[in-house]
Amino acid sequence: MVLKKTLYIYNNNDGEVAYSGKENPNTTSHNNNKTIGDSMKVNSPHQPGVTEKYDDIVAISELQFDDDNIKLYGKDNPDYFKTLQNDIKVRGLKNPVVVYPNKIVKSGHTRIRACSEDFTHIPVIWSVTSKPTDAFENMMSLMMENQGRPLSISRQYNQITTSIEEWEKQNNNQTCADSIIKDLICPASQMSWNMFQQMRTLEAERHDLFKRVMDSDGEALSPGKAYQFMKDDKVNTQTINSSSSM
């Protein structure tokens, strides 16, 4: 069964916003709390008993994606996106998206894209803070807000390197200190400092192994295993060179 319903938004007798499959002739908009003559119909993935507490239901067309989010996360994983899309269509949206007061999305870009083909509106939580004007701070905020997403080695590594580049750009091309990467950026991306060091070394010294890790997202070859291969190859090369010089 595919969930696709029209909800009518109005105030119930207790003065609270209610949702129903029937029209209320004197409805109040949940968005701006102004009385309107006709019922407000919205096609939303809100599902009672499934959708967590939210502040509002907003037209998807009114929401604006954050460019920094696209830099950090890139394209959606096709399999994950399709699974999420089907789950929302059948069961409803569990976690509302988080939106800044100016309607720029803070968390939930993928959920919005997954809903956009089947729904016109989406439940939102209004952020109590404004979007950071500093791009680096905004990236940190986005990563912290999206820590519930499935982990991905390639995406996490891209988040770290993108954040490093932004920090250096804002600091007159000064090299980003390891302490900043270790204490701020790595925790926000949920990649350990040790794994990042391995990946950074592989990218610099063994791009073939680095590419295998990134292309398979660590499934065909983990960062730790690739790093060990690199170390073993160095030892073998040294041994061969020593034997040749004798």
Side-chain angles (χ1 to χ4, degrees), residues 26-76:
N26 296 309
T27 183
T28 299
S29 168
H30 191 75
N31 286 335
N32 53 26
N33 208 33
K34 293 179 181 178
T35 301
I36 55 178
D38 298 325
S39 297
M40 177 180 175
K41 300 179 181 180
V42 294
N43 177 18
S44 163
H46 163 271
Q47 177 72 347
V50 174
T51 305
E52 298 288 351
K53 184 178 179 180
Y54 60 94
D55 297 322
D56 216 337
I57 291 184
V58 176
I60 292 175
S61 60
E62 295 179 6
L63 302 179
Q64 180 181 342
F65 285 174
D66 190 322
D67 291 338
D68 288 334
N69 184 277
I70 298 173
K71 294 177 184 177
L72 288 172
Y73 293 96
K75 295 181 179 180
D76 297 315

Side-chain angles (χ1 to χ4, degrees), residues 36-242:
I36 55 178
D38 298 325
S39 297
M40 177 180 175
K41 300 179 181 180
V42 294
N43 177 18
S44 163
H46 163 271
Q47 177 72 347
V50 174
T51 305
E52 298 288 351
K53 184 178 179 180
Y54 60 94
D55 297 322
D56 216 337
I57 291 184
V58 176
I60 292 175
S61 60
E62 295 179 6
L63 302 179
Q64 180 181 342
F65 285 174
D66 190 322
D67 291 338
D68 288 334
N69 184 277
I70 298 173
K71 294 177 184 177
L72 288 172
Y73 293 96
K75 295 181 179 180
D76 297 315
N77 177 285
D79 293 335
Y80 170 72
F81 181 82
K82 192 64 178 178
T83 299
L84 176 64
Q85 190 176 46
N86 289 337
D87 185 66
I88 292 174
K89 286 168 66 175
V90 174
R91 298 176 59 239
L93 179 69
K94 178 173 176 58
N95 295 310
V97 301
V98 182
V99 181
Y100 288 115
N102 60 359
K103 294 189 178 179
I104 294 179
V105 179
K106 182 178 183 181
S107 173
H109 295 73
T110 302
R111 277 167 282 165
I112 293 172
R113 284 190 287 267
C115 290
S116 62
E117 292 185 12
D118 299 283
F119 304 97
T120 60
H121 291 65
I122 192 167
V124 305
I125 295 172
W126 295 112
S127 175
V128 296
T129 61
S130 298
K131 176 184 172 180
T133 56
D134 181 286
F136 176 75
E137 291 300 328
N138 187 46
M139 288 182 177
M140 294 298 100
S141 176
L142 286 168
M143 286 191 287
M144 295 295 290
E145 189 70 35
N146 286 283
Q147 287 189 343
R149 297 181 70 162
L151 297 179
S152 163
I153 290 174
S154 58
R155 186 178 67 231
Q156 290 167 283
Y157 186 73
N158 177 68
Q159 289 171 355
I160 295 173
T161 56
T162 301
S163 298
I164 291 172
E165 290 173 1
E166 188 59 43
W167 188 94
E168 293 178 343
K169 178 182 176 182
Q170 292 184 10
N171 289 273
N172 300 317
N173 295 319
Q174 176 185 343
T175 300
C176 187
D178 283 349
S179 60
I180 294 175
I181 303 172
K182 180 180 179 180
D183 298 335
L184 293 178
I185 302 177
C186 281
S189 72
Q190 296 182 279
M191 175 176 278
S192 70
W193 167 242
N194 182 61
M195 182 179 289
F196 172 70
Q197 286 181 301
Q198 292 175 342
M199 291 291 289
R200 183 166 60 175
T201 302
L202 286 168
E203 184 178 24
E205 299 182 19
R206 285 296 303 271
H207 198 269
D208 57 326
L209 294 176
F210 172 80
K211 190 174 185 302
R212 286 175 60 187
V213 174
M214 292 290 282
D215 287 349
S216 68
D217 210 16
E219 293 186 8
L221 182 64
S222 70
K225 195 69 174 177
Y227 189 75
Q228 188 61 50
F229 283 160
M230 182 187 71
K231 291 174 62 178
D232 292 344
D233 287 346
K234 285 183 178 181
V235 171
N236 292 336
T237 300
Q238 291 173 354
T239 301
I240 293 174
N241 290 340
S242 296

